[in-house]
Amino acid sequence: MIWKSLGMTDLSSAAQTIQQGYTFKTPSVQLGVLVENGTPLPSVPINLSLSMFNRHGLVAGATGTGKTRTLQLMAEQLSRAGVAVFAADIKGDLSGIALPGTPSEKLMARVQAMGQNWQPAGCPTEFYTLGGQGTGVPIRATVTSFGPILLSKVLGLNDVQESSLGLVFHYADTKQLDLIDLADLKSVMMYLTSDEGKVELKEIGGLSSATVGVILRELVTLEAQGAESFFGEPEFQTSDLLRTVGDQGVISLLELPNLQDRPQIFSTFLMWLLADLFHDLPEVGDIDKPKLVFFFDEAHLLFNGASKAFLDSIAQTVRLIRSKGVGVFFVTQVPSDVPDNVLAQLGSRVQHQLRAHTPNDAKALKQAVNTYPTSQYDLVHVLQNLGIGEAIVTVLNPNGAPTPVAWTRMLAPQALMAPMDPQMMQGGVAQSTMMGKYGTAINRDSAAEQLQRVEAENQQVAAQEAQEAAAQKEAAHPRSGGATTAAAVGVGGIIAGALSNSVVRSMMRTAGNEIVRSIFGTARRR
């Protein structure tokens, strides 16, 4: 078909319906243009209202079909609209978003066909890494704030083991023992399975030595994977993800080197960031544009092997964080990677090409088709024949109703679609104000040192009382029941025995305020 002009009257009835469905009065970002009979129609832009970004979304498609560039496009558009963005840079090729793009003959032909006014432009970008492993500002979390549910996911614990770990955290919270790093957690667990510590948990069930042994072995494995550097201080304040520079939102990119070696660590750390945002941000209800949009790349890593409790917590967080002004977009290969109770909450769908080379692929394709509203397309056929950078799109309009399904050619990002030069990145990170805030690790007193000090104090008290008992025995001659033994002092545990010491009581009172845990068991001292 040859299009004589871009006027409304030259459009097919289907194209007119789609044009009307994506024309909004509210501020929006443009995702692309409609494709009809293989031809892009610049007069039919496919838009997404800024007010609907906090209704969440899904970007899916097979490898090499354009998911990463769609993520980059959406991040750029949001940043220029003044919305902060967080994304995990799985493959290391998003770093160029900070630099203007480079025109090429192929690129210019594509944007001209779409009627896109392409101008090279970068976005304000901050680079982060987990615990300093890679190039970027280190993000750290304390074990206390990470919480037992997320840590159980990382360790691959079963329900019984997760419950036992939760008991350890409960004890540390009530005794105000600071779990800063993994050494602190191990110290508390070893204490609670000692002869003195068993008394502390007797009334609420106690801990099995076998279960603790399993958890300790998993912690050693986790340390061997380099996770020790992830836990510590200064702890990252997730409010720093909400920054703007002038009228542009800051794009925060988290580098994830060696993802294949530690997928559970990385995916669960991303969930900690989201859970912490949920914990800290105030309710804002429906707003004109979100405060932050959070892109969860390689989303299947988050859900693989997760317990029902963990999956339920994800679904609840996604459902409730909308009212905090945060949008969440999951990026993965097929929609079935995302559990149904989460998928049902994703208002926007951008589905790139799917392949059906195997029976499982064919099943995933059919499931993907079933997630779309009724349309004029044979989606089973279309989804297998989309070009690179094309997608089947449906979003929510400003009234919350789904838009018509649209075969879309996505706009080209205006920033560099290639990794930034490593030396340039290192120089930028070194000058970042965030590096000054988080760059240097802090090692302060925490549970391990607190328990050691209390044990030393208690041993001193026990030795003194044993000497007094021996002196009394010698003075009064043998008398049954006249001595206070070291074992008697141990009743109630080392900490209970030491609470009579005013110094220790003061230390316990000032160790921190009450800990309030959120949906995922994450927390900070308040």
Side-chain angles (χ1 to χ4, degrees):
M1 180 180 294
I2 299 175
W3 297 94
K4 297 179 181 179
S5 70
L6 302 180
M8 177 83 168
T9 56
D10 294 315
L11 298 176
S12 68
S13 60
Q16 290 181 36
T17 299
I18 291 173
Q19 185 183 56
Q20 293 169 358
Y22 286 89
T23 300
F24 310 137
K25 294 181 180 180
T26 58
S28 307
V29 300
Q30 185 178 353
L31 301 178
V33 300
L34 178 68
V35 174
E36 190 169 72
N37 298 328
T39 302
L41 305 183
S43 63
V44 189
I46 304 302
N47 299 314
L48 174 53
S49 174
L50 285 172
S51 63
M52 290 293 106
F53 266 95
N54 69 344
R55 300 297 179 96
H56 315 312
L58 174 74
V59 179
T63 301
T65 58
K67 296 192 304 296
T68 300
R69 294 304 154 223
T70 294
L71 191 164
Q72 179 175 344
L73 170 68
M74 296 173 77
E76 288 182 16
Q77 299 264 34
L78 287 163
S79 174
R80 295 185 184 113
V83 178
V85 174
F86 174 88
D89 192 4
I90 302 293
K91 296 179 285 290
D93 52 5
L94 280 175
S95 57
I97 202 169
L99 302 174
T102 303
S104 66
E105 183 177 342
K106 181 179 179 181
L107 174 62
M108 298 313 295
R110 177 184 175 89
V111 299
Q112 287 171 8
M114 293 188 293
Q116 179 182 358
N117 182 23
W118 188 89
Q119 299 292 331
C123 299
T125 306
E126 193 76 59
F127 298 100
Y128 293 99
T129 63
L130 290 183
Q133 296 189 6
T135 303
V137 177
I139 289 181
R140 302 181 185 88
T142 64
V143 172
T144 287
S145 72
F146 204 68
I149 298 176
L150 292 179
L151 189 57
S152 294
K153 173 69 164 58
V154 172
L155 297 175
L157 304 183
N158 61 31
D159 291 343
V160 173
Q161 294 158 353
E162 180 178 330
S163 176
S164 296
L165 187 61
L167 196 60
V168 174
F169 273 79
H170 172 73
Y171 175 81
D173 289 351
T174 55
K175 296 298 182 181
Q176 297 188 339
L177 294 171
D178 294 325
L179 302 178
I180 303 299
D181 52 28
L182 295 179
D184 293 322
L185 179 60
K186 290 191 293 184
S187 294
V188 174
M189 292 179 69
M190 293 174 68
Y191 164 67
L192 291 176
T193 52
S194 67
D195 291 339
E196 297 86 354
K198 288 178 181 178
V199 180
E200 297 281 337
L201 295 182
K202 186 175 181 179
E203 293 184 359
I204 52 177
L207 290 174
S208 161
S209 296
T211 299
V212 170
V214 171
I215 298 174
L216 287 173
R217 286 193 294 273
E218 293 298 334
L219 287 172
V220 170
T221 301
L222 191 65
E223 286 178 311
Q225 295 177 349
E228 179 59 29
S229 61
F230 301 161
F231 294 103
E233 292 182 320
E235 184 170 69
F236 185 72
Q237 301 294 319
T238 48
S239 58
D240 284 328
L241 298 178
L242 306 178
R243 294 185 300 139
T244 57
V245 175
D247 58 355
Q248 295 190 75
V250 173
I251 297 175
S252 299
L253 291 183
L254 179 65
E255 183 184 1
L256 299 178
N258 304 319
L259 175 68
Q260 66 279 2
D261 297 331
R262 295 166 287 196
Q264 297 290 359
I265 299 173
F266 292 135
S267 62
T268 312
F269 243 87
L270 297 184
M271 202 64 225
W272 171 77
L273 290 173
L274 192 61
D276 197 70
L277 284 166
F278 174 80
H279 195 207
D280 287 357
L281 291 177
E283 295 278 343
V284 295
D286 291 325
I287 51 181
D288 293 338
K289 63 182 181 182
K291 295 181 177 180
L292 173 72
V293 175
F294 198 103
F295 288 94
F296 234 123
D297 204 357
E298 300 292 344
H300 66 281
L301 298 176
L302 180 67
F303 303 110
N304 286 350
S307 67
K308 183 180 183 302
F310 185 84
L311 294 176
D312 289 344
S313 295
I314 294 175
Q316 188 175 6
T317 301
V318 172
R319 183 173 68 253
L320 297 178
I321 203 169
R322 176 182 70 81
S323 63
K324 304 294 186 88
V326 177
V328 182
F329 275 68
F330 294 96
V331 184
T332 189
Q333 293 203 4
V334 293
S336 57
D337 288 337
V338 181
D340 288 347
N341 59 349
V342 176
L343 194 62
Q345 301 178 54
L346 308 184
S348 299
R349 308 288 177 90
V350 180
Q351 178 67 65
H352 289 273
Q353 182 192 117
L354 284 175
R355 298 165 186 144
H357 299 323
T358 69
N360 285 338
D361 290 343
K363 180 180 179 182
L365 174 61
K366 185 176 180 180
Q367 290 175 328
V369 169
N370 290 336
T371 65
Y372 278 86
T374 302
S375 71
Q376 76 274 21
Y377 299 112
D378 177 1
L379 289 180
V380 172
H381 174 75
V382 171
L383 285 173
Q384 297 180 78
N385 289 277
L386 293 170
I388 295 174
E390 294 182 348
I392 294 297
V393 175
T394 181
V395 301
L396 295 181
N397 68 25
N399 295 323
T403 57
V405 177
W407 184 337
T408 305
R409 184 165 296 175
M410 309 300 290
L411 296 185
Q414 294 174 271
L416 182 65
M417 289 183 278
M420 180 188 292
D421 178 75
Q423 291 186 340
M424 180 182 293
M425 186 189 298
Q426 289 175 0
V429 169
Q431 298 174 21
S432 168
T433 57
M434 293 292 102
M435 180 59 81
K437 185 175 182 178
Y438 297 113
T440 304
I442 299 172
N443 185 19
R444 68 176 175 88
D445 259 12
S446 49
E449 292 80 13
Q450 291 166 356
L451 284 174
Q452 290 172 2
R453 233 179 359 257
V454 170
E455 183 177 7
E457 294 240 6
N458 195 61
Q459 288 176 349
Q460 184 178 358
V461 170
Q464 182 178 351
E465 293 191 357
Q467 290 178 357
E468 292 175 355
Q472 291 174 3
K473 182 177 181 180
E474 183 178 351
H477 301 294
R479 184 185 303 169
S480 61
T484 302
T485 65
V489 176
V491 174
I494 292 174
I495 292 181
L499 286 177
S500 60
N501 185 288
S502 61
V503 174
V504 176
R505 287 202 308 270
S506 175
M507 178 194 74
M508 289 300 191
R509 283 197 302 269
T510 59
N513 298 322
E514 179 185 0
I515 294 177
V516 180
R517 295 198 172 273
S518 66
I519 293 173
F520 272 98
T522 59
R524 293 186 193 273
R525 293 198 181 278
R526 302 300 175 192

